[in-house]
């Protein structure tokens, strides 16, 4: 493996998972192992990955400057870890809104770290994964851009997850993309529990990476469908607009939890490189 230029500094690691770990070359770079826990009953083991600013925001929310690269400043240790996380996913979930602002992006492990392509392909093969992860695009409204590059990556299967209300629009706008599969939830919203059960039973997905935005993350937390969280804490300060009509998004949006019983996480490991911290945490089961 090439790596991001230098190893991560391991500050602590209290992971007790007993599943398959990383290849030796990846462990040397990452400063230790990342073992996958056993799959959940009836759904994939689900993790997510975010880069957040010092003030807890995930986007500058400016035209052509709304992605995580502006928050991480394209730090190679962040992009290398992102590629590694993608490589261990049987499927990657993202939202239709994300596709609209990242039309040229492709959800492959090596898209963000091309130099590691050969090693990541070999790692997926060694772990028994398909050459490319299944891409799952979630949109309750069915508003998905047909010209998004991620919908037409050779060899990558795509599942459109929409609602009964959004299905006609999705099928109409994506009519020329005959290779797409669909999962339709009844009613006006995507049922994430039913979707994850379908991914597990019908698609053979054992590990799922959610790269949806703050709204998707909030819904997955509320439904108790997220297991682990990888968070890169960037030294960047984003701030917020004065107008409440256009706030810059924080890590979780669209839901407010009770102060009596909010979701809790247990910090599993912490790494550092320069002014960046790399956290891995696991949600505490109720």
């Amino acid at each position: 493996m090439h790596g991001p230029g230098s190893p991560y500094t391991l500050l602590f690691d209290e992971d007790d998972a007993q599943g398959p770990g990383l290849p030796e070359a990846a462990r040397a770079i990452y400063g230790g192992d990342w073992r996958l826990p056993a799959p959940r009953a009836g759904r994939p083991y689900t993790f997510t990955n975010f880069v957040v600013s010092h003030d807890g925001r995930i986007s500058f929310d400016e035209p052509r400057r709304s992605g995580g690269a502006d928050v991480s400043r394209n730090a190679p240790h962040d992009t290398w870890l992102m590629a590694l996380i993608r490589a261990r996913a049987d499927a990657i979930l993202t939202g239709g809104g994300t596709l609209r602002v990242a039309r040229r992006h492709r959800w492959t492990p090596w898209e963000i770290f091309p130099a590691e392509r050969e090693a990541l392909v070999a790692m997926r093969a060694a772990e028994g994964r398909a050459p490319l992860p299944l891409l799952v695009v979630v949109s309750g409204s069915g508003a998905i851009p047909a010209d998004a590059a991620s919908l037409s990556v050779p060899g990558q299967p795509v599942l459109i997850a929409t609602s009964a209300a959004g299905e006609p629009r999705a099928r109409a706008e994506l009519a020329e993309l005959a290779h797409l599969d669909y999962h339709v939830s009844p009613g006006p919203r995507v049922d994430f529990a039913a979707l994850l059960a379908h991914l597990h039973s019908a698609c053979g997905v054992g590990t799922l990476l959610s790269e949806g935005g703050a709204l998707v993350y909030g819904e997955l937390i509320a439904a108790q469908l997220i297991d682990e969280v990888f968070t890169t804490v960037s030294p960047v300060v984003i701030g917020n607009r004065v107008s409440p009509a256009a706030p810059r998004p924080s890590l979780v949006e669209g839901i407010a939890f009770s102060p009596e019983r909010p979701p809790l996480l247990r910090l599993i490991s912490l790494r550092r490189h320069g002014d960046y911290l790399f956290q891995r945490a696991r949600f505490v089961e109720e």
Side-chain angles (χ1 to χ4, degrees):
M1 280 190 159
H2 294 79
S6 59
Y8 298 73
T9 299
L10 177 64
L11 302 179
F12 80 92
D13 191 331
E14 296 178 353
D15 188 18
D16 55 1
Q18 301 298 312
L22 295 170
E24 182 179 352
R27 290 199 307 270
I29 296 166
Y30 190 48
D33 213 345
W34 164 26
R35 292 192 171 275
L36 290 172
R40 295 295 189 180
R43 69 167 178 86
Y45 195 84
T46 305
F47 40 94
T48 189
N49 179 40
F50 281 99
V51 56
V52 302
S53 66
H54 165 75
D55 50 331
R57 303 196 179 275
I58 61 171
S59 173
F60 282 89
D61 196 28
E62 301 283 354
R64 296 179 298 280
R65 304 296 297 273
S66 60
D70 290 299
V71 185
S72 73
R73 317 309 281 177
N74 287 303
H77 284 74
D78 178 67
T79 54
W80 184 88
L81 181 57
M82 184 178 178
L84 182 72
I85 294 168
R86 283 186 179 184
R88 304 203 82 185
D90 293 323
I92 299 175
L93 182 150
T94 190
T98 302
L99 258 65
R100 286 193 293 276
V101 299
R103 292 183 187 237
R104 293 181 293 177
H105 190 74
R106 292 163 292 191
W107 269 264
T108 68
W110 39 87
E111 173 79 1
I112 63 285
F113 211 96
E116 215 66 279
R117 178 168 184 159
E118 183 177 345
L120 296 177
V121 167
M123 188 174 80
R124 288 186 67 83
E127 293 189 347
R129 305 191 196 284
L132 284 169
L134 168 68
L135 177 63
V136 182
V137 182
V138 176
S139 173
S141 69
I144 300 171
D147 62 346
S150 59
L151 299 180
S152 301
V153 176
Q156 184 168 36
V158 180
L159 177 73
I160 304 299
T162 188
S163 66
E167 181 184 10
R169 180 177 182 179
R171 289 190 182 274
E173 295 189 0
L174 304 173
E176 295 185 5
L177 301 176
H179 64 285
L180 305 181
D181 290 324
Y182 287 82
H183 179 272
V184 181
S185 300
R189 302 176 65 85
V190 172
D191 183 333
F192 279 97
L195 171 61
L196 267 61
H198 174 80
L199 292 174
H200 180 76
S201 63
C203 305
V205 174
T207 53
L208 173 66
L209 168 61
S210 173
E211 289 196 18
L215 291 171
V216 170
Y217 186 37
E219 289 197 51
L220 290 172
I221 295 174
Q224 298 183 1
L225 296 172
I226 286 282
D227 298 298
E228 288 192 13
V229 184
F230 289 83
T231 308
T232 299
V233 182
S234 166
V236 167
V237 180
I238 289 179
N240 200 13
R241 300 183 179 95
V242 175
S243 170
R248 286 170 164 172
S250 64
L251 188 57
V252 177
E253 297 285 352
I255 189 164
F257 295 104
S258 164
E260 281 75 27
R261 296 190 67 185
L264 298 173
L265 295 102
R266 178 174 70 86
L267 192 61
I268 296 173
S269 70
L270 185 64
R271 288 165 169 80
R272 174 190 176 190
H273 184 270
D275 297 319
Y276 292 79
L277 289 175
F278 302 89
Q279 301 177 357
R280 179 183 170 209
R282 188 172 294 148
F283 273 94
V284 176
E285 296 183 41
E286 295 185 1

